[in-house]
Amino acid sequence: ESKKDMILMANKIDKVNLLGNYLKNGEFEKLLNLVGIINQSDPRQVYLRNSEIIYKEIYKNNNDINNLY
């Protein structure tokens, strides 16, 4: 992967935290709108698989329930 691709993936993974907050707060319209935007640039949803791995590790280290969203 190029440096640009890695930065874009990091930005998408960072957006997963925002998606989790939308889910936790019941802001489903915002959630779906953001998912639609992200999926346009990543239709295979690679960012979700990578985010799941990252947030599972973070949760294992601190057991903060917010990392499960």
Side-chain angles (χ1 to χ4, degrees):
E1 284 184 280
S2 72
K3 186 175 182 177
K4 180 182 174 187
D5 289 338
M6 290 175 66
I7 290 170
L8 290 174
M9 182 58 69
N11 287 338
K12 288 176 190 167
I13 291 170
D14 187 52
K15 294 295 183 217
V16 169
N17 189 44
L18 183 57
L19 292 172
N21 286 330
Y22 288 158
L23 178 63
K24 180 174 67 172
N25 295 321
E27 299 178 75
F28 302 115
E29 187 172 334
K30 289 181 180 179
L31 176 99
L32 293 175
N33 287 338
L34 184 54
V35 166
I37 291 167
I38 296 171
N39 286 349
Q40 287 178 10
S41 65
D42 190 358
R44 292 180 29 228
Q45 299 178 338
V46 173
Y47 73 97
L48 285 178
R49 288 188 292 277
N50 291 339
S51 297
E52 182 179 4
I53 293 165
I54 290 167
Y55 280 98
K56 277 183 179 179
E57 286 301 312
I58 292 171
Y59 178 75
K60 282 191 332 189
N61 289 325
N62 67 15
N63 292 326
D64 181 355
I65 195 164
N66 288 311
N67 290 313
L68 294 178
Y69 285 97

Short mmCIF file of all heavy atoms in Angstrom, two decimals:
data_model
loop_
_atom_site.label_atom_id
_atom_site.label_comp_id
_atom_site.label_asym_id
_atom_site.label_seq_id
_atom_site.Cartn_x
_atom_site.Cartn_y
_atom_site.Cartn_z
N GLU A 1 0.83 -1.19 0.00
CA GLU A 1 0.00 0.00 0.00
C GLU A 1 0.87 1.25 0.00
O GLU A 1 1.91 1.30 0.63
CB GLU A 1 -0.88 0.03 1.24
CG GLU A 1 -2.07 -0.90 1.19
CD GLU A 1 -2.95 -0.75 2.41
OE1 GLU A 1 -2.58 -1.31 3.44
OE2 GLU A 1 -3.97 -0.05 2.29
N SER A 2 0.38 2.25 -0.68
CA SER A 2 1.10 3.51 -0.69
C SER A 2 0.82 4.29 0.59
O SER A 2 -0.11 3.97 1.33
CB SER A 2 0.68 4.34 -1.90
OG SER A 2 -0.64 4.84 -1.72
N LYS A 3 1.63 5.30 0.82
CA LYS A 3 1.43 6.14 2.01
C LYS A 3 0.06 6.80 1.97
O LYS A 3 -0.63 6.89 2.98
CB LYS A 3 2.54 7.18 2.08
CG LYS A 3 2.52 8.00 3.33
CD LYS A 3 3.71 8.93 3.40
CE LYS A 3 3.68 9.71 4.69
NZ LYS A 3 4.86 10.57 4.82
N LYS A 4 -0.35 7.22 0.77
CA LYS A 4 -1.67 7.86 0.61
C LYS A 4 -2.78 6.88 0.97
O LYS A 4 -3.73 7.23 1.67
CB LYS A 4 -1.84 8.35 -0.82
CG LYS A 4 -3.18 9.01 -1.08
CD LYS A 4 -3.31 9.44 -2.52
CE LYS A 4 -4.71 9.96 -2.78
NZ LYS A 4 -4.94 10.25 -4.18
N ASP A 5 -2.67 5.63 0.52
CA ASP A 5 -3.67 4.61 0.84
C ASP A 5 -3.73 4.35 2.34
O ASP A 5 -4.81 4.17 2.90
CB ASP A 5 -3.38 3.30 0.11
CG ASP A 5 -3.62 3.39 -1.39
OD1 ASP A 5 -4.39 4.28 -1.82
OD2 ASP A 5 -3.03 2.58 -2.12
N MET A 6 -2.58 4.34 2.99
CA MET A 6 -2.54 4.09 4.43
C MET A 6 -3.20 5.24 5.19
O MET A 6 -3.92 5.01 6.16
CB MET A 6 -1.09 3.88 4.88
CG MET A 6 -0.51 2.57 4.39
SD MET A 6 1.23 2.35 4.80
CE MET A 6 1.13 2.25 6.57
N ILE A 7 -2.98 6.47 4.74
CA ILE A 7 -3.60 7.63 5.39
C ILE A 7 -5.11 7.58 5.21
O ILE A 7 -5.87 7.82 6.15
CB ILE A 7 -3.01 8.95 4.84
CG1 ILE A 7 -1.56 9.09 5.30
CG2 ILE A 7 -3.85 10.15 5.27
CD1 ILE A 7 -0.80 10.22 4.63
N LEU A 8 -5.57 7.25 4.00
CA LEU A 8 -7.01 7.15 3.76
C LEU A 8 -7.64 6.07 4.62
O LEU A 8 -8.73 6.25 5.17
CB LEU A 8 -7.28 6.88 2.27
CG LEU A 8 -6.97 8.03 1.32
CD1 LEU A 8 -7.14 7.58 -0.13
CD2 LEU A 8 -7.84 9.24 1.61
N MET A 9 -6.95 4.93 4.78
CA MET A 9 -7.48 3.85 5.61
C MET A 9 -7.53 4.29 7.07
O MET A 9 -8.50 4.02 7.78
CB MET A 9 -6.63 2.58 5.47
CG MET A 9 -7.16 1.40 6.26
SD MET A 9 -8.85 0.88 5.86
CE MET A 9 -8.61 0.25 4.22
N ALA A 10 -6.50 4.98 7.53
CA ALA A 10 -6.49 5.47 8.91
C ALA A 10 -7.64 6.43 9.15
O ALA A 10 -8.28 6.39 10.20
CB ALA A 10 -5.16 6.14 9.22
N ASN A 11 -7.92 7.28 8.17
CA ASN A 11 -9.04 8.20 8.30
C ASN A 11 -10.37 7.45 8.37
O ASN A 11 -11.25 7.82 9.14
CB ASN A 11 -9.08 9.19 7.13
CG ASN A 11 -7.98 10.23 7.22
OD1 ASN A 11 -7.45 10.50 8.29
ND2 ASN A 11 -7.63 10.81 6.10
N LYS A 12 -10.51 6.40 7.60
CA LYS A 12 -11.74 5.60 7.62
C LYS A 12 -11.89 4.89 8.96
O LYS A 12 -12.99 4.83 9.52
CB LYS A 12 -11.74 4.60 6.48
CG LYS A 12 -11.94 5.23 5.13
CD LYS A 12 -11.82 4.21 4.03
CE LYS A 12 -11.79 4.91 2.68
NZ LYS A 12 -11.39 4.02 1.62
N ILE A 13 -10.81 4.36 9.46
CA ILE A 13 -10.86 3.67 10.75
C ILE A 13 -11.22 4.66 11.85
O ILE A 13 -12.00 4.36 12.75
CB ILE A 13 -9.54 2.93 11.04
CG1 ILE A 13 -9.42 1.75 10.06
CG2 ILE A 13 -9.48 2.44 12.48
CD1 ILE A 13 -8.07 1.07 10.06
N ASP A 14 -10.70 5.87 11.75
CA ASP A 14 -11.05 6.91 12.70
C ASP A 14 -12.55 7.22 12.63
O ASP A 14 -13.19 7.48 13.64
CB ASP A 14 -10.23 8.17 12.44
CG ASP A 14 -10.44 9.23 13.50
OD1 ASP A 14 -10.30 8.91 14.69
OD2 ASP A 14 -10.72 10.38 13.13
N LYS A 15 -13.11 7.18 11.44
CA LYS A 15 -14.54 7.44 11.27
C LYS A 15 -15.39 6.34 11.92
O LYS A 15 -16.54 6.57 12.28
CB LYS A 15 -14.91 7.54 9.79
CG LYS A 15 -14.30 8.73 9.08
CD LYS A 15 -14.82 10.03 9.62
CE LYS A 15 -14.25 11.19 8.86
NZ LYS A 15 -13.96 12.33 9.68
N VAL A 16 -14.84 5.15 12.08
CA VAL A 16 -15.58 4.07 12.73
C VAL A 16 -15.93 4.46 14.17
O VAL A 16 -17.00 4.12 14.67
CB VAL A 16 -14.78 2.74 12.68
CG1 VAL A 16 -15.41 1.68 13.57
CG2 VAL A 16 -14.71 2.26 11.23
N ASN A 17 -15.05 5.19 14.83
CA ASN A 17 -15.34 5.68 16.16
C ASN A 17 -16.58 6.59 16.14
O ASN A 17 -17.46 6.48 16.99
CB ASN A 17 -14.14 6.44 16.73
CG ASN A 17 -14.30 6.78 18.18
OD1 ASN A 17 -14.74 5.96 18.98
ND2 ASN A 17 -13.95 8.00 18.53
N LEU A 18 -16.65 7.45 15.14
CA LEU A 18 -17.81 8.32 14.97
C LEU A 18 -19.07 7.49 14.68
O LEU A 18 -20.14 7.75 15.24
CB LEU A 18 -17.55 9.33 13.85
CG LEU A 18 -18.61 10.38 13.58
CD1 LEU A 18 -18.91 11.19 14.83
CD2 LEU A 18 -18.14 11.30 12.46
N LEU A 19 -18.93 6.47 13.84
CA LEU A 19 -20.07 5.59 13.56
C LEU A 19 -20.57 4.92 14.84
O LEU A 19 -21.78 4.80 15.07
CB LEU A 19 -19.68 4.52 12.53
CG LEU A 19 -19.39 4.99 11.12
CD1 LEU A 19 -18.83 3.84 10.29
CD2 LEU A 19 -20.61 5.58 10.47
N GLY A 20 -19.63 4.48 15.68
CA GLY A 20 -19.99 3.86 16.95
C GLY A 20 -20.76 4.81 17.84
O GLY A 20 -21.72 4.41 18.51
N ASN A 21 -20.34 6.07 17.86
CA ASN A 21 -21.05 7.06 18.66
C ASN A 21 -22.46 7.29 18.13
O ASN A 21 -23.41 7.41 18.91
CB ASN A 21 -20.28 8.38 18.71
CG ASN A 21 -19.06 8.31 19.58
OD1 ASN A 21 -19.03 7.56 20.56
ND2 ASN A 21 -18.04 9.08 19.25
N TYR A 22 -22.59 7.34 16.82
CA TYR A 22 -23.93 7.49 16.23
C TYR A 22 -24.81 6.30 16.61
O TYR A 22 -25.97 6.48 16.97
CB TYR A 22 -23.86 7.59 14.71
CG TYR A 22 -23.30 8.90 14.17
CD1 TYR A 22 -22.76 8.96 12.90
CD2 TYR A 22 -23.31 10.07 14.92
CE1 TYR A 22 -22.26 10.15 12.37
CE2 TYR A 22 -22.81 11.25 14.41
CZ TYR A 22 -22.29 11.28 13.13
OH TYR A 22 -21.80 12.45 12.62
N LEU A 23 -24.27 5.10 16.55
CA LEU A 23 -25.02 3.90 16.90
C LEU A 23 -25.43 3.94 18.37
O LEU A 23 -26.60 3.73 18.71
CB LEU A 23 -24.18 2.65 16.62
CG LEU A 23 -24.80 1.32 16.99
CD1 LEU A 23 -26.06 1.07 16.16
CD2 LEU A 23 -23.79 0.20 16.77
N LYS A 24 -24.48 4.24 19.23
CA LYS A 24 -24.73 4.28 20.67
C LYS A 24 -25.81 5.30 21.03
O LYS A 24 -26.63 5.06 21.91
CB LYS A 24 -23.43 4.59 21.41
CG LYS A 24 -23.56 4.66 22.92
CD LYS A 24 -22.22 4.83 23.59
CE LYS A 24 -21.65 6.20 23.26
NZ LYS A 24 -20.45 6.52 24.03
N ASN A 25 -25.83 6.42 20.31
CA ASN A 25 -26.76 7.49 20.61
C ASN A 25 -28.06 7.41 19.80
O ASN A 25 -28.90 8.30 19.89
CB ASN A 25 -26.09 8.85 20.37
CG ASN A 25 -24.95 9.08 21.32
OD1 ASN A 25 -25.01 8.72 22.50
ND2 ASN A 25 -23.86 9.66 20.82
N GLY A 26 -28.21 6.35 19.01
CA GLY A 26 -29.43 6.17 18.24
C GLY A 26 -29.58 7.14 17.08
O GLY A 26 -30.69 7.37 16.60
N GLU A 27 -28.46 7.68 16.61
CA GLU A 27 -28.49 8.64 15.50
C GLU A 27 -28.32 7.87 14.18
O GLU A 27 -27.30 7.97 13.50
CB GLU A 27 -27.41 9.69 15.68
CG GLU A 27 -27.59 10.50 16.96
CD GLU A 27 -26.48 11.50 17.15
OE1 GLU A 27 -26.48 12.52 16.44
OE2 GLU A 27 -25.62 11.26 18.03
N PHE A 28 -29.37 7.11 13.83
CA PHE A 28 -29.27 6.17 12.73
C PHE A 28 -29.17 6.85 11.36
O PHE A 28 -28.51 6.34 10.46
CB PHE A 28 -30.42 5.18 12.77
CG PHE A 28 -30.46 4.41 14.07
CD1 PHE A 28 -31.52 4.56 14.94
CD2 PHE A 28 -29.41 3.58 14.42
CE1 PHE A 28 -31.54 3.87 16.14
CE2 PHE A 28 -29.42 2.89 15.63
CZ PHE A 28 -30.49 3.04 16.49
N GLU A 29 -29.83 7.98 11.20
CA GLU A 29 -29.75 8.67 9.91
C GLU A 29 -28.32 9.16 9.65
O GLU A 29 -27.79 8.97 8.55
CB GLU A 29 -30.72 9.86 9.88
CG GLU A 29 -30.79 10.49 8.50
CD GLU A 29 -31.89 11.53 8.39
OE1 GLU A 29 -32.89 11.46 9.14
OE2 GLU A 29 -31.75 12.41 7.53
N LYS A 30 -27.68 9.73 10.66
CA LYS A 30 -26.28 10.15 10.53
C LYS A 30 -25.39 8.95 10.26
O LYS A 30 -24.47 9.01 9.44
CB LYS A 30 -25.81 10.87 11.80
CG LYS A 30 -26.41 12.23 11.99
CD LYS A 30 -25.87 12.88 13.26
CE LYS A 30 -26.45 14.25 13.50
NZ LYS A 30 -25.93 14.85 14.73
N LEU A 31 -25.65 7.84 10.97
CA LEU A 31 -24.87 6.62 10.80
C LEU A 31 -24.94 6.14 9.36
O LEU A 31 -23.92 5.89 8.72
CB LEU A 31 -25.38 5.54 11.75
CG LEU A 31 -24.72 4.18 11.61
CD1 LEU A 31 -23.66 4.02 12.68
CD2 LEU A 31 -25.73 3.09 11.72
N LEU A 32 -26.15 6.01 8.84
CA LEU A 32 -26.33 5.50 7.48
C LEU A 32 -25.75 6.45 6.44
O LEU A 32 -25.17 6.00 5.44
CB LEU A 32 -27.80 5.23 7.21
CG LEU A 32 -28.39 4.09 8.04
CD1 LEU A 32 -29.89 3.97 7.79
CD2 LEU A 32 -27.70 2.77 7.76
N ASN A 33 -25.89 7.74 6.65
CA ASN A 33 -25.31 8.70 5.71
C ASN A 33 -23.80 8.58 5.65
O ASN A 33 -23.21 8.57 4.56
CB ASN A 33 -25.71 10.13 6.09
CG ASN A 33 -27.16 10.43 5.80
OD1 ASN A 33 -27.80 9.78 4.98
ND2 ASN A 33 -27.70 11.42 6.49
N LEU A 34 -23.16 8.48 6.81
CA LEU A 34 -21.70 8.37 6.84
C LEU A 34 -21.23 7.04 6.26
O LEU A 34 -20.26 7.00 5.51
CB LEU A 34 -21.16 8.57 8.26
CG LEU A 34 -19.64 8.59 8.42
CD1 LEU A 34 -18.98 9.61 7.48
CD2 LEU A 34 -19.26 8.88 9.86
N VAL A 35 -21.93 5.97 6.57
CA VAL A 35 -21.58 4.66 6.00
C VAL A 35 -21.65 4.72 4.47
O VAL A 35 -20.77 4.22 3.78
CB VAL A 35 -22.50 3.54 6.54
CG1 VAL A 35 -22.38 2.27 5.71
CG2 VAL A 35 -22.16 3.23 7.99
N GLY A 36 -22.68 5.37 3.96
CA GLY A 36 -22.82 5.50 2.51
C GLY A 36 -21.66 6.23 1.88
O GLY A 36 -21.13 5.83 0.84
N ILE A 37 -21.23 7.30 2.53
CA ILE A 37 -20.10 8.08 2.02
C ILE A 37 -18.82 7.26 2.06
O ILE A 37 -18.07 7.21 1.08
CB ILE A 37 -19.94 9.39 2.83
CG1 ILE A 37 -21.11 10.33 2.54
CG2 ILE A 37 -18.62 10.07 2.51
CD1 ILE A 37 -21.22 11.50 3.49
N ILE A 38 -18.57 6.61 3.18
CA ILE A 38 -17.34 5.82 3.31
C ILE A 38 -17.34 4.66 2.32
O ILE A 38 -16.32 4.38 1.68
CB ILE A 38 -17.18 5.29 4.76
CG1 ILE A 38 -16.99 6.45 5.73
CG2 ILE A 38 -15.99 4.33 4.85
CD1 ILE A 38 -17.04 6.04 7.19
N ASN A 39 -18.47 4.00 2.17
CA ASN A 39 -18.53 2.83 1.28
C ASN A 39 -18.34 3.19 -0.19
O ASN A 39 -17.98 2.34 -0.99
CB ASN A 39 -19.84 2.08 1.48
CG ASN A 39 -19.85 1.29 2.76
OD1 ASN A 39 -18.83 1.13 3.43
ND2 ASN A 39 -21.01 0.80 3.14
N GLN A 40 -18.58 4.44 -0.55
CA GLN A 40 -18.34 4.85 -1.94
C GLN A 40 -16.86 4.74 -2.29
O GLN A 40 -16.51 4.39 -3.42
CB GLN A 40 -18.82 6.29 -2.17
CG GLN A 40 -20.31 6.41 -2.21
CD GLN A 40 -20.77 7.85 -2.38
OE1 GLN A 40 -19.97 8.74 -2.66
NE2 GLN A 40 -22.06 8.07 -2.22
N SER A 41 -15.99 5.01 -1.31
CA SER A 41 -14.56 4.92 -1.58
C SER A 41 -13.97 3.57 -1.16
O SER A 41 -12.80 3.31 -1.41
CB SER A 41 -13.81 6.05 -0.88
OG SER A 41 -13.92 5.92 0.52
N ASP A 42 -14.77 2.75 -0.50
CA ASP A 42 -14.30 1.43 -0.05
C ASP A 42 -15.47 0.44 -0.12
O ASP A 42 -15.95 -0.04 0.91
CB ASP A 42 -13.76 1.53 1.37
CG ASP A 42 -13.03 0.27 1.83
OD1 ASP A 42 -12.97 -0.71 1.06
OD2 ASP A 42 -12.53 0.27 2.96
N PRO A 43 -15.96 0.14 -1.34
CA PRO A 43 -17.15 -0.70 -1.47
C PRO A 43 -16.98 -2.12 -0.91
O PRO A 43 -17.96 -2.76 -0.55
CB PRO A 43 -17.43 -0.73 -2.97
CG PRO A 43 -16.17 -0.28 -3.62
CD PRO A 43 -15.44 0.57 -2.62
N ARG A 44 -15.74 -2.58 -0.79
CA ARG A 44 -15.51 -3.91 -0.21
C ARG A 44 -15.47 -3.86 1.31
O ARG A 44 -15.33 -4.86 1.98
CB ARG A 44 -14.22 -4.50 -0.77
CG ARG A 44 -14.36 -4.83 -2.25
CD ARG A 44 -13.13 -5.44 -2.90
NE ARG A 44 -12.29 -6.21 -2.03
CZ ARG A 44 -10.96 -6.08 -1.97
NH1 ARG A 44 -10.34 -5.20 -2.73
NH2 ARG A 44 -10.25 -6.82 -1.16
N GLN A 45 -15.56 -2.66 1.87
CA GLN A 45 -15.60 -2.42 3.30
C GLN A 45 -14.40 -3.01 4.05
O GLN A 45 -14.52 -3.55 5.14
CB GLN A 45 -16.91 -2.93 3.89
CG GLN A 45 -18.12 -2.25 3.30
CD GLN A 45 -19.42 -2.77 3.84
OE1 GLN A 45 -19.49 -3.88 4.35
NE2 GLN A 45 -20.45 -1.97 3.73
N VAL A 46 -13.23 -2.86 3.45
CA VAL A 46 -12.00 -3.32 4.08
C VAL A 46 -11.79 -2.60 5.41
O VAL A 46 -11.31 -3.19 6.38
CB VAL A 46 -10.79 -3.11 3.13
CG1 VAL A 46 -9.47 -3.43 3.82
CG2 VAL A 46 -10.96 -3.94 1.87
N TYR A 47 -12.18 -1.34 5.45
CA TYR A 47 -11.99 -0.56 6.68
C TYR A 47 -12.72 -1.19 7.86
O TYR A 47 -12.25 -1.10 8.99
CB TYR A 47 -12.45 0.90 6.49
CG TYR A 47 -13.95 1.08 6.43
CD1 TYR A 47 -14.66 1.45 7.56
CD2 TYR A 47 -14.66 0.88 5.25
CE1 TYR A 47 -16.03 1.61 7.53
CE2 TYR A 47 -16.02 1.04 5.21
CZ TYR A 47 -16.71 1.41 6.34
OH TYR A 47 -18.08 1.55 6.29
N LEU A 48 -13.86 -1.84 7.62
CA LEU A 48 -14.60 -2.48 8.71
C LEU A 48 -13.84 -3.65 9.29
O LEU A 48 -13.77 -3.82 10.50
CB LEU A 48 -15.98 -2.92 8.25
CG LEU A 48 -17.01 -1.81 8.08
CD1 LEU A 48 -18.33 -2.39 7.57
CD2 LEU A 48 -17.23 -1.05 9.36
N ARG A 49 -13.26 -4.47 8.43
CA ARG A 49 -12.48 -5.62 8.91
C ARG A 49 -11.27 -5.14 9.71
O ARG A 49 -10.98 -5.66 10.79
CB ARG A 49 -12.04 -6.50 7.74
CG ARG A 49 -13.18 -7.30 7.12
CD ARG A 49 -12.68 -8.30 6.10
NE ARG A 49 -12.12 -7.68 4.90
CZ ARG A 49 -12.83 -7.25 3.86
NH1 ARG A 49 -14.13 -7.34 3.88
NH2 ARG A 49 -12.25 -6.72 2.82
N ASN A 50 -10.58 -4.13 9.18
CA ASN A 50 -9.41 -3.61 9.89
C ASN A 50 -9.81 -2.96 11.21
O ASN A 50 -9.14 -3.13 12.23
CB ASN A 50 -8.67 -2.60 9.01
CG ASN A 50 -8.00 -3.25 7.83
OD1 ASN A 50 -7.74 -4.45 7.83
ND2 ASN A 50 -7.74 -2.48 6.81
N SER A 51 -10.91 -2.24 11.20
CA SER A 51 -11.38 -1.58 12.43
C SER A 51 -11.77 -2.59 13.48
O SER A 51 -11.50 -2.40 14.67
CB SER A 51 -12.59 -0.69 12.12
OG SER A 51 -12.22 0.34 11.25
N GLU A 52 -12.39 -3.67 13.06
CA GLU A 52 -12.79 -4.71 14.01
C GLU A 52 -11.57 -5.28 14.73
O GLU A 52 -11.57 -5.43 15.95
CB GLU A 52 -13.55 -5.82 13.30
CG GLU A 52 -14.04 -6.90 14.23
CD GLU A 52 -14.81 -7.99 13.51
OE1 GLU A 52 -14.92 -7.98 12.28
OE2 GLU A 52 -15.31 -8.89 14.22
N ILE A 53 -10.53 -5.54 14.00
CA ILE A 53 -9.30 -6.07 14.59
C ILE A 53 -8.72 -5.06 15.58
O ILE A 53 -8.36 -5.41 16.71
CB ILE A 53 -8.27 -6.41 13.48
CG1 ILE A 53 -8.76 -7.57 12.64
CG2 ILE A 53 -6.90 -6.70 14.08
CD1 ILE A 53 -8.01 -7.75 11.33
N ILE A 54 -8.64 -3.82 15.16
CA ILE A 54 -8.05 -2.77 16.00
C ILE A 54 -8.86 -2.57 17.27
O ILE A 54 -8.32 -2.55 18.38
CB ILE A 54 -7.92 -1.45 15.21
CG1 ILE A 54 -6.85 -1.60 14.14
CG2 ILE A 54 -7.62 -0.27 16.15
CD1 ILE A 54 -6.84 -0.50 13.11
N TYR A 55 -10.19 -2.43 17.13
CA TYR A 55 -11.01 -2.15 18.30
C TYR A 55 -11.13 -3.35 19.24
O TYR A 55 -11.28 -3.18 20.45
CB TYR A 55 -12.38 -1.60 17.89
CG TYR A 55 -12.30 -0.14 17.55
CD1 TYR A 55 -12.21 0.30 16.25
CD2 TYR A 55 -12.28 0.82 18.56
CE1 TYR A 55 -12.10 1.64 15.94
CE2 TYR A 55 -12.18 2.17 18.27
CZ TYR A 55 -12.10 2.57 16.96
OH TYR A 55 -11.99 3.90 16.66
N LYS A 56 -11.02 -4.57 18.73
CA LYS A 56 -10.98 -5.75 19.61
C LYS A 56 -9.74 -5.70 20.49
O LYS A 56 -9.80 -6.01 21.68
CB LYS A 56 -10.99 -7.05 18.80
CG LYS A 56 -12.35 -7.50 18.37
CD LYS A 56 -12.24 -8.82 17.65
CE LYS A 56 -13.60 -9.33 17.22
NZ LYS A 56 -13.50 -10.61 16.49
N GLU A 57 -8.62 -5.34 19.90
CA GLU A 57 -7.38 -5.24 20.67
C GLU A 57 -7.46 -4.13 21.70
O GLU A 57 -7.03 -4.30 22.84
CB GLU A 57 -6.18 -5.03 19.74
CG GLU A 57 -5.78 -6.27 18.98
CD GLU A 57 -5.41 -7.43 19.87
OE1 GLU A 57 -4.62 -7.25 20.83
OE2 GLU A 57 -5.92 -8.54 19.63
N ILE A 58 -8.00 -3.00 21.29
CA ILE A 58 -8.14 -1.89 22.25
C ILE A 58 -9.04 -2.31 23.40
O ILE A 58 -8.74 -2.05 24.57
CB ILE A 58 -8.71 -0.63 21.54
CG1 ILE A 58 -7.68 -0.07 20.55
CG2 ILE A 58 -9.11 0.43 22.56
CD1 ILE A 58 -8.21 1.03 19.66
N TYR A 59 -10.14 -2.99 23.09
CA TYR A 59 -11.06 -3.44 24.14
C TYR A 59 -10.38 -4.43 25.08
O TYR A 59 -10.56 -4.36 26.30
CB TYR A 59 -12.32 -4.06 23.53
CG TYR A 59 -13.27 -4.57 24.59
CD1 TYR A 59 -14.04 -3.68 25.33
CD2 TYR A 59 -13.36 -5.93 24.88
CE1 TYR A 59 -14.89 -4.14 26.33
CE2 TYR A 59 -14.20 -6.39 25.87
CZ TYR A 59 -14.97 -5.49 26.59
OH TYR A 59 -15.79 -5.94 27.58
N LYS A 60 -9.60 -5.35 24.52
CA LYS A 60 -8.89 -6.32 25.37
C LYS A 60 -7.96 -5.62 26.35
O LYS A 60 -7.76 -6.09 27.46
CB LYS A 60 -8.10 -7.32 24.52
CG LYS A 60 -8.97 -8.39 23.92
CD LYS A 60 -8.25 -9.55 23.29
CE LYS A 60 -6.91 -9.34 22.73
NZ LYS A 60 -6.39 -10.47 21.96
N ASN A 61 -7.40 -4.49 25.93
CA ASN A 61 -6.44 -3.78 26.78
C ASN A 61 -7.10 -2.91 27.83
O ASN A 61 -6.51 -2.65 28.87
CB ASN A 61 -5.50 -2.93 25.93
CG ASN A 61 -4.53 -3.79 25.15
OD1 ASN A 61 -4.09 -4.83 25.62
ND2 ASN A 61 -4.21 -3.37 23.95
N ASN A 62 -8.33 -2.41 27.58
CA ASN A 62 -8.91 -1.49 28.55
C ASN A 62 -10.35 -1.81 28.97
O ASN A 62 -10.88 -1.15 29.84
CB ASN A 62 -8.82 -0.04 28.05
CG ASN A 62 -9.68 0.22 26.84
OD1 ASN A 62 -10.56 -0.55 26.49
ND2 ASN A 62 -9.43 1.34 26.19
N ASN A 63 -10.98 -2.80 28.34
CA ASN A 63 -12.34 -3.21 28.65
C ASN A 63 -13.34 -2.06 28.68
O ASN A 63 -14.33 -2.10 29.41
CB ASN A 63 -12.41 -3.97 29.99
CG ASN A 63 -11.72 -5.31 29.89
OD1 ASN A 63 -11.75 -5.96 28.86
ND2 ASN A 63 -11.10 -5.73 30.97
N ASP A 64 -13.09 -1.02 27.90
CA ASP A 64 -14.02 0.11 27.79
C ASP A 64 -15.13 -0.28 26.82
O ASP A 64 -14.88 -0.50 25.64
CB ASP A 64 -13.28 1.34 27.31
CG ASP A 64 -14.16 2.58 27.20
OD1 ASP A 64 -15.40 2.47 27.41
OD2 ASP A 64 -13.61 3.66 26.91
N ILE A 65 -16.34 -0.37 27.33
CA ILE A 65 -17.48 -0.82 26.53
C ILE A 65 -17.71 0.04 25.30
O ILE A 65 -18.23 -0.41 24.29
CB ILE A 65 -18.76 -0.92 27.38
CG1 ILE A 65 -19.82 -1.71 26.65
CG2 ILE A 65 -19.27 0.46 27.76
CD1 ILE A 65 -20.94 -2.18 27.51
N ASN A 66 -17.27 1.30 25.33
CA ASN A 66 -17.43 2.17 24.16
C ASN A 66 -16.68 1.64 22.95
O ASN A 66 -17.06 1.92 21.81
CB ASN A 66 -16.97 3.59 24.49
CG ASN A 66 -17.94 4.29 25.42
OD1 ASN A 66 -19.14 4.29 25.21
ND2 ASN A 66 -17.41 4.86 26.49
N ASN A 67 -15.64 0.85 23.16
CA ASN A 67 -14.90 0.28 22.05
C ASN A 67 -15.64 -0.87 21.38
O ASN A 67 -15.23 -1.35 20.34
CB ASN A 67 -13.51 -0.16 22.49
CG ASN A 67 -12.63 1.02 22.81
OD1 ASN A 67 -12.57 1.97 22.05
ND2 ASN A 67 -11.98 0.99 23.95
N LEU A 68 -16.72 -1.33 21.97
CA LEU A 68 -17.52 -2.39 21.37
C LEU A 68 -18.50 -1.85 20.34
O LEU A 68 -18.95 -2.59 19.47
CB LEU A 68 -18.29 -3.17 22.44
CG LEU A 68 -17.43 -3.96 23.41
CD1 LEU A 68 -18.31 -4.64 24.46
CD2 LEU A 68 -16.57 -4.98 22.69
N TYR A 69 -18.82 -0.58 20.44
CA TYR A 69 -19.73 0.01 19.46
C TYR A 69 -19.05 0.17 18.14
O TYR A 69 -19.61 0.18 17.11
CB TYR A 69 -20.26 1.37 19.94
CG TYR A 69 -21.30 1.23 21.02
CD1 TYR A 69 -20.96 1.34 22.36
CD2 TYR A 69 -22.61 0.97 20.70
CE1 TYR A 69 -21.92 1.21 23.36
CE2 TYR A 69 -23.58 0.84 21.68
CZ TYR A 69 -23.23 0.95 23.01
OH TYR A 69 -24.17 0.83 23.99
#
